[in-house]
DNA sequence: CTTACAATGGGGAGAACTCCTGATATGCGG
DNA sequence: CCGCATATCAGGAGTTCTCCCCATTGTAAG
């Protein structure tokens, strides 16, 4: 029995590459390709695939939203997220939306082929890079809320992070916030623990992604 | 006569997809794949390809820097940039670095195959989305513009800056570049003098603005 | 040939960061 | 009331960064 697959990615060369590789598998048939979330939604209703390979970041309607809507309508369709990012927000939100698998784009194709067969047997497949992210996400999900990585930080921690990312030293931050240098360092340490960063460069990039500061 | 091709991209599934498609072309042979700029540089010296398909954004040594260095050593090698971004800085800097073509990742594979054959005949190939960017870049280059990182910093300094902005310590950078920590610190000091920055956070932001690294 | 700059390497000093270990107080929810 | 998160503060150790000083080599421009 052949597995019917749809591909959703906003980059045509990526779609064609995936198709070229998938077509080497005898038991897999690629029904079509979509370049955004809205398009994959329509195609899914028409073509009823078994599996969708879904990019997370797409224009118009992103992969997370598309997944949520498709799973709500057609629970039988298995969706495998294929993403460049191992950002925990993407991973956790995608799984919460109902994805049956999450692969990074730097995985091997054979892993993807394997993932397709795994999700077909109603199991979840995660590439090993994201596995521990999910575990930690599960462990820290004592509350049913939306714990975006940003909300991981307390207001004070976000305040400190912003000043750090603006290039201020701990001493200056302490001065500005009227607290001791040691307190600033404690905040910084907690921030780095939570974000799993190890230095100012990574903290700065995180702050930029979260809009706490600009380039 | 077959065209010998190397692939440089930090995502394995992208590399495999490109390889799968390229191998369908009778006159093209894929010699190998690299996952960062440093690796493609070494492989180019060993394998002497005709064409390199080069991702612009790669860790460690980005595609622009790698292109600059490869073109300097081996002017005969044709490099086609393959990027997600139509950001003018990427396009213009890549071409300035000596790339013979610039394609967006949402182009069709047949365009890429065509680009390979065009650059083999010593011509430049641009996917149409970036063509007008280049024209406008040319027009605005008649007036003296603000000094970007590429004129202000030396190649080695840009290399060090990228690694700093990726969160690496001086010791690790020294190790990676096979130079002493003191040399790295000298480079860093010169970079900070030139850019008038005082810390890693500001350096990181500068590197992001200039496209040396991404968030 | 001189001048300038890039790239390499080094010594030393103080500041800043990173990573531990603690502690106290407050407020909120079960 | 208890547990938990937040916010505050501290000591110490080790690493890293920042900023001075300096040098040699090679190369490109004038």
């Amino acid at each position: 029995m052949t597995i019917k697959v749809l591909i959703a990615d906003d980059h045509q060369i990526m779609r064609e590459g995936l198709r070229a590789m998938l077509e080497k598998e005898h038991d897999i048939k690629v029904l079509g390709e979509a370049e955004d979330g809205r398009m994959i939604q329509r195609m899914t209703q028409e073509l009823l695939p078994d599996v969708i390979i879904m990019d997370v970041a797409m224009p118009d309607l992103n992969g997370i939203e598309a997944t949520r809507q498709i799973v709500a309508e057609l629970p039988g369709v298995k969706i495998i997220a294929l993403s460049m990012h191992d950002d925990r927000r993407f991973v956790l939100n995608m799984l919460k939306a109902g994805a049956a698998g999450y692969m990074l784009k730097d995985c091997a194709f054979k892993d993807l082929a394997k993932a397709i067969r795994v999700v077909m047997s109603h199991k979840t497949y995660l590439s090993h890079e994201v596995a521990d992210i999910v575990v930690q996400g599960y462990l820290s999900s004592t509350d049913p809320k939306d714990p975006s990585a940003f909300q991981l930080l307390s207001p004070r921690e976000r305040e400190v992070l912003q000043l750090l990312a603006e290039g201020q030293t701990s001493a200056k931050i302490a001065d500005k916030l009227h607290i001791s240098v040691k307190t600033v360092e404690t905040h910084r340490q907690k921030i780095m623990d939570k974000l799993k960063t190890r230095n100012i460069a990574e903290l700065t990039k995180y702050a930029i992604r979260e809009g706490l500061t600009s380039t």
Side-chain angles (χ1 to χ4, degrees), chain A residues 54-163:
Chain A
M54 176 95 72
D55 188 20
V56 175
M58 286 187 294
D60 225 37
L61 184 67
N62 67 54
I64 295 172
E65 216 41 57
T67 298
R68 203 187 315 276
Q69 296 180 16
I70 289 171
V71 168
E73 288 178 58
L74 301 164
V77 179
K78 302 297 177 183
I79 297 178
I80 297 174
L82 186 61
S83 170
M84 296 201 311
H85 310 285
D86 61 354
D87 189 308
R88 59 189 298 280
R89 289 168 307 175
F90 287 149
V91 177
L92 298 177
N93 285 328
M94 199 65 191
L95 293 175
K96 214 177 296 173
Y102 197 108
M103 312 289 298
L104 293 185
K105 280 190 179 173
D106 60 356
C107 74
F109 171 69
K110 68 169 170 40
D111 292 335
L112 181 60
K114 184 176 179 186
I116 290 175
R117 297 192 175 89
V118 168
V119 301
M120 279 299 285
S121 59
H122 307 290
K123 284 181 287 196
T124 300
Y125 189 95
L126 300 177
S127 64
H128 60 88
E129 297 92 337
V130 303
D132 60 334
I133 293 174
V134 175
V135 173
Q136 296 194 339
Y138 170 74
L139 292 178
S140 68
S141 72
T142 45
D143 62 323
K145 290 197 303 178
D146 232 36
S148 99
F150 181 59
Q151 288 166 333
L152 253 176
L153 302 183
S154 71
R156 197 56 153 178
E157 284 165 354
R158 287 197 290 272
E159 211 173 339
V160 172
L161 173 55
Q162 179 177 347
L163 294 167

Side-chain angles (χ1 to χ4, degrees), chain A residues 5 19 25 29 36 40 43 56 75 92 119 124 133 138 154 180-181 185 198 208:
Chain A
V5 175
R19 179 190 276 266
E25 305 289 313
K29 178 156 177 55
D36 60 50
I40 190 66
M43 290 181 69
V56 175
L92 298 177
V119 301
T124 300
I133 293 174
Y138 170 74
S154 71
S180 90
V181 174
E185 287 184 347
R198 243 141 289 282
I208 291 169

